[in-house]
Amino acid sequence: MLFSACLFLLFSSVLANVEKAIFLAPPTTSVPQHHPNLDDLYLIPLSPPDHKSVRTHLNASFPTSDSPRGTVSWFLLDGLNAGQRYEVRICWLATQPTSFWLTTHTLEEAFGAPELITSLSHYAYAQEARWKHADAEALKARRAPVRQIPSGGDPDEVRASILLLEVHAAADYFSLNRTLMENVPPVLVDIILDPYILNVFPESLVPTAGYLVCIAVIAWFISGYVWKFIKSYIAATPPRDEAAHLISKKTL
Ligand SMILES: *[C@@H]1O[C@H](CO)[C@@H](O)[C@H](O)[C@H]1NC(C)=O
């Protein structure tokens, strides 16, 4: 059983690569409800507990001096619990060798830095052209439910803990096939937002941990049986030294 677990871990590490970022959810900020708002960015939202992961294709490119980390994509990390620890992972197939960089930005950081807001708006325009109306509605459905938090000021104010996730993807292969060297195919990825339990343990590791505990308990019982068996075996066999001692006494 342990062997098969090891084999599974080995295989999953061979077949898929993982890159991740660990972060603390920021304090809540006021989220604009009227246009232009976050929905107008057409980003794919990840919001626990219902929409923790997404499978999608990301554009990648070979690094250049202008863009040493390849092509950028943006995602929305929505409905976080302020102060809680999370990790966001990106998994991709080993058959599509790519380097990824994950960076999280608060809304203030992203909208305050000229290079970030330029990158974000370029991406948003490209996304708007890509999605149809139905897709845009599906994206909205992935947002966390609006939580009206009454504060001293505006009664309609909506506050939420939100981050923007910046993902850089640089192709990391060499091929004799010219097509593949000129046009990098989009990379199929899973992006997973994983809350930590008590801020120390990623939620998605709970089944693995349970499995290891099971193995430990079974191993403990088996070792008990083995130990009993050895003890009864020893008890049933006369100790050789003592027998030898008796024999030597008799001959004397
Ligand atoms: C090069 O790669 C493309 C895309 O994978 C493929 O369609 C094409 O057949 C390949 N060409 C050669 C000569 O192998």
Side-chain angles (χ1 to χ4, degrees):
M1 198 146 56
L2 193 61
F3 176 71
S4 63
C6 289
L7 206 64
F8 172 74
L9 288 178
L10 188 71
F11 262 108
S12 50
S13 65
V14 167
L15 294 179
N17 296 322
V18 180
E19 186 63 51
K20 67 180 174 184
I22 298 171
F23 60 89
L24 289 178
T28 61
T29 54
S30 184
V31 181
Q33 293 304 296
H34 305 295
H35 293 280
N37 60 32
L38 290 174
D39 292 329
D40 296 321
L41 294 174
Y42 297 95
L43 307 181
I44 299 178
L46 292 167
S47 61
D50 294 333
H51 304 285
K52 288 200 294 190
S53 68
V54 67
R55 174 164 295 181
T56 185
H57 282 93
L58 290 191
N59 289 332
S61 55
F62 283 104
T64 61
S65 52
D66 281 347
S67 51
R69 292 175 169 191
T71 302
V72 70
S73 304
W74 289 84
F75 293 83
L76 191 65
L77 307 182
D78 194 19
L80 304 172
N81 279 325
Q84 190 179 347
R85 191 183 302 276
Y86 292 81
E87 77 176 33
V88 62
R89 286 193 296 277
I90 186 161
C91 311
W92 68 101
L93 295 176
T95 48
Q96 289 190 292
T98 315
S99 297
F100 286 98
W101 291 266
L102 304 177
T103 321
T104 55
H105 302 282
T106 61
L107 298 182
E108 289 83 354
E109 275 165 17
F111 296 138
E115 70 278 8
L116 292 181
I117 197 154
T118 310
S119 158
L120 187 54
S121 61
H122 281 164
Y123 186 74
Y125 278 121
Q127 287 285 94
E128 189 182 0
R130 174 183 163 199
W131 299 124
K132 294 183 209 62
H133 180 70
D135 297 327
E137 291 304 310
L139 288 183
K140 265 187 220 166
R142 293 181 55 93
R143 293 285 308 271
V146 169
R147 273 183 294 182
Q148 224 100 19
I149 297 170
S151 57
D154 185 358
D156 290 333
E157 190 188 20
V158 170
R159 298 183 70 85
S161 174
I162 286 184
L163 284 171
L164 291 164
L165 174 68
E166 186 190 24
V167 181
H168 283 272
D172 196 9
Y173 60 78
F174 176 79
S175 169
L176 291 175
N177 180 329
R178 206 134 153 219
T179 325
L180 282 178
M181 288 311 280
E182 279 165 7
N183 301 301
V184 178
V187 189
L188 180 65
V189 297
D190 279 340
I191 300 182
I192 300 149
L193 178 61
D194 201 3
Y196 274 42
I197 292 173
L198 302 173
N199 277 1
V200 289
F201 198 72
E203 206 174 270
S204 64
L205 277 185
V206 167
T208 314
Y211 183 65
L212 291 180
V213 167
C214 265
I215 289 178
V217 168
I218 292 168
W220 189 77
F221 275 108
I222 290 178
S223 72
Y225 279 119
V226 170
W227 179 233
K228 257 194 204 156
F229 174 76
I230 292 175
K231 270 206 328 208
S232 62
Y233 179 78
I234 290 173
T237 329
R240 268 212 207 132
D241 279 359
E242 220 170 74
H245 190 66
L246 287 177
I247 291 165
S248 59
K249 251 190 182 169
K250 262 189 196 162
T251 46
L252 279 172

